[in-house]
Amino acid sequence: MLELIRSQTQTRRRALRTTTSTASGLYPAVGAPSSDPRGVIIGREIYSGKAYIYDPFVLYDPSARERLPSGHAMVLGKSGFGKSSLEKCYVLRQLRFRDRSFCILDAQGEDGVGEWDSIARALGVTPIRLVYGGEDGEGVRLNPLDPRIPAQYQFKILCSMVEIIGGTLNSESEFALSVAHTAAQVRAAAENRVAVLSDIHDALTNPEPAMLGKRQIASEEMVTWGQPASLAMDQLCSETRDLAGLFNGPTTPGIDLDARLIVFDLTRLPREGEAMPLLMSVIGPWLRYAWIKTGDSIKRTLIVEEAWHILSHRPVARLFEEFVRYGRRLGLSFWAILHHLGDLQVAEAPEAAAILKLTATRVLYHMDKAEADLTADYLQLADWAREALIDGASRCSPGRAVWQVGNRLHLVEHIRSATEAMLTNTNRKMTEKARELPNTAPIIPMNSRVGSR
């Protein structure tokens, strides 16, 4: 009998061909497909329970399971739901890779220091603090005419700074500023020094006759044409103005742009007014040519807190759009951290819309219904993601976010170690004092030079 049973042909179920949408309904217990297993662990995917792994440089590689069109990311959501913790833990985990480098523009903080201060100091990094006029001897200066920035890009920065202060430049004013820029470079070279904004101011207020094609423009006419630019330069150069010391003069020596972690502490600068967008207009190109080294294998990430300072000012957005657009060639991942997409007049600023569209990763934390609807419509999210964003008590409770990575959507819970929780705690002022959390993971000090690793 046993021999008879063994010789029988076993029955088989024929293969079932179906679509992925139908299969999801037939087999609801099957989780969404995972992303590439290479990278750093963010936490766990809520519905499948699997570890959620992410690395924009890995996902951009052609060998990735689903290749991303760019390595840029946008993080949105209300305060207190985990945006800062996510970006800080991401940096701490990525720094364990030997070919990673990060620059942080830290615009949030308390007690006169930025949110990244504790992490930077735990890693042996001194934040670069920018203050008005070298206040308390702590501030540093970034020169828009630094020789490390190509001359044609210097002129773009000058135009952006003048537009931020005085409005859009007309053709005559732009021509006068161009002539003044050239004159300032010639004067500085003759005196064997670096050109500064005071040289631009002097050339605008006391110009030489200039040639516009075959027509000679008299000095008096050049003064009239250059008046909008000269008034803006006066605000940047005059010692009695608020902006004195930030940009007028050579770049402060000792700024180490070869460190694996660079933190620009912007918390001493007011969020409103002209100082922050002016700084953004300078720091983007300055990092583009002084921080990024062509030809090396370092993967760099620029994280911008309060990124609406970039996206809501067209002159700054124009500079950063070019910076972000060529991220593929530069080995750069750009992270924009925002509270509300509704704060931006995207329709009125095509450069801001272009930057947002270049982000292939969107991390979305809890939002109010009106903001969630606006964001879901703009990003074309599925209905379940729209509903999850509104649910701040369960699906998008603190630490949970909807991740849109390329064409895939996941609900992800960010998991922190005890050490990470201690270093990323930004609620000390609003909560009762608790016992210190034990260190469960070592903090590895950063080498000061990338090349020495």
Side-chain angles (χ1 to χ4, degrees):
M1 179 65 67
L2 290 175
E3 287 75 12
L4 179 62
I5 295 175
R6 291 193 185 104
S7 64
Q8 287 182 337
T9 303
Q10 298 295 319
T11 60
R12 289 184 182 178
R13 178 174 297 176
R14 292 193 302 173
L16 175 64
R17 296 185 179 274
T18 183
T19 63
T20 53
S21 59
T22 304
S24 299
L26 293 175
Y27 306 100
V30 178
S34 60
S35 61
D36 199 286
R38 298 169 294 172
V40 296
I41 295 177
I42 301 298
R44 68 184 182 93
E45 205 275 323
I46 294 297
Y47 294 129
S48 68
K50 295 180 293 187
Y52 192 79
I53 299 172
Y54 176 77
D55 188 309
F57 299 106
V58 168
L59 294 177
Y60 183 81
D61 191 277
S63 64
R65 290 180 178 177
E66 183 174 346
R67 186 184 182 188
L68 292 182
S70 80
H72 307 313
M74 175 176 62
V75 184
L76 279 172
K78 296 179 68 174
S79 296
F81 281 82
K83 298 192 306 296
S84 295
S85 296
L86 170 69
E87 56 186 287
K88 291 170 186 174
C89 291
Y90 172 77
V91 171
L92 287 170
R93 297 170 189 182
Q94 281 275 9
L95 281 172
R96 293 179 177 271
F97 294 96
R98 297 179 63 86
D99 61 346
R100 299 292 193 266
S101 178
F102 292 85
C103 179
I104 316 297
L105 304 188
D106 184 6
Q108 299 267 23
E110 58 185 28
D111 297 331
V113 296
E115 283 189 353
W116 287 80
D117 188 79
S118 59
I119 289 179
R121 297 191 182 279
L123 296 174
V125 174
T126 302
I128 301 169
R129 186 162 290 116
L130 290 110
V131 300
Y132 276 145
E135 176 184 313
D136 300 328
E138 295 182 357
V140 301
R141 180 189 301 113
L142 298 179
N143 182 14
L145 305 180
D146 192 290
R148 286 172 285 189
I149 302 175
Q152 67 272 20
Y153 229 107
Q154 292 178 12
F155 180 66
K156 290 183 179 181
I157 298 173
L158 291 173
C159 290
S160 296
M161 298 178 80
V162 171
E163 289 182 343
I164 290 169
I165 295 174
T168 305
L169 285 174
N170 58 32
S171 300
E172 291 83 358
S173 297
E174 189 171 329
F175 173 75
L177 183 59
S178 175
V179 172
H181 179 221
T182 302
Q185 296 285 6
V186 171
R187 174 183 174 183
E191 298 175 2
N192 195 28
R193 61 176 178 81
V194 174
V196 296
L197 291 183
S198 293
D199 297 321
I200 303 288
H201 192 203
D202 294 342
L204 285 167
T205 54
N206 186 26
E208 297 290 334
M211 295 300 297
L212 179 57
K214 295 184 178 181
R215 175 193 169 191
Q216 185 179 57
I217 310 299
S219 299
E220 295 78 10
E221 196 169 3
M222 288 294 294
V223 170
T224 302
W225 286 10
Q227 185 173 1
S230 60
L231 290 173
M233 286 295 131
D234 183 71
Q235 292 196 39
L236 296 168
C237 300
S238 176
E239 295 182 359
T240 61
R241 300 299 189 101
D242 290 339
L243 297 173
L246 273 177
F247 307 107
N248 184 32
T251 299
T252 303
I255 297 178
D256 183 10
L257 292 182
D258 291 325
R260 295 187 62 198
L261 176 63
I262 305 165
V263 178
F264 283 92
D265 186 343
L266 315 179
T267 54
R268 298 280 189 92
L269 300 178
R271 297 188 186 182
E272 305 299 330
E274 300 159 342
M276 195 68 77
L278 281 170
L279 179 66
M280 294 297 183
S281 70
V282 175
I283 206 169
W286 203 76
L287 290 174
R288 162 68 179 87
Y289 293 101
W291 176 47
I292 296 176
K293 310 294 191 303
T294 57
D296 65 13
S297 61
I298 303 301
K299 307 294 189 298
R300 293 176 172 86
T301 301
L302 173 62
I303 297 178
V304 183
E305 302 272 8
E306 299 292 316
W308 62 270
H309 290 295
I310 291 175
L311 301 178
S312 62
H313 292 81
R314 290 198 67 183
V316 186
R318 281 199 298 267
L319 292 173
F320 267 84
E321 181 194 4
E322 185 174 348
F323 189 40
V324 172
R325 191 175 294 279
Y326 296 108
R328 173 179 58 86
R329 281 193 254 164
L330 302 174
L332 175 72
S333 174
F334 172 80
W335 284 50
I337 314 300
L338 300 163
H339 288 289
H340 307 293
L341 192 61
D343 292 339
L344 306 173
Q345 301 297 326
V346 176
E348 300 176 8
E351 296 85 3
I355 292 176
L356 293 180
K357 289 178 180 178
L358 286 170
T359 59
T361 300
R362 287 78 178 256
V363 185
L364 310 172
Y365 286 87
H366 169 60
M367 306 172 188
D368 293 331
K369 187 178 188 310
E371 184 65 28
D373 288 339
L374 187 151
T375 302
D377 290 341
Y378 184 80
L379 300 179
Q380 299 181 346
L381 300 180
D383 289 342
W384 74 262
R386 182 193 301 261
E387 295 169 2
L389 293 178
I390 303 170
D391 185 5
S394 179
R395 283 173 288 183
C396 274
S397 59
R400 293 185 175 188
V402 174
W403 283 65
Q404 183 187 41
V405 181
N407 295 321
R408 295 184 178 183
L409 280 173
H410 296 270
L411 185 60
V412 179
E413 180 180 21
H414 173 216
I415 298 176
R416 297 180 292 173
S417 68
T419 300
E420 290 172 336
M422 177 183 64
L423 289 174
T424 60
N425 181 14
T426 58
N427 298 317
R428 294 185 180 90
K429 290 288 185 180
M430 291 295 294
T431 55
E432 295 290 340
K433 184 176 180 181
R435 64 181 180 83
E436 292 292 327
L437 292 171
N439 289 339
T440 58
I443 296 297
I444 303 173
M446 296 293 100
N447 295 326
S448 62
R449 297 281 174 181
V450 174
S452 64
R453 290 178 284 110

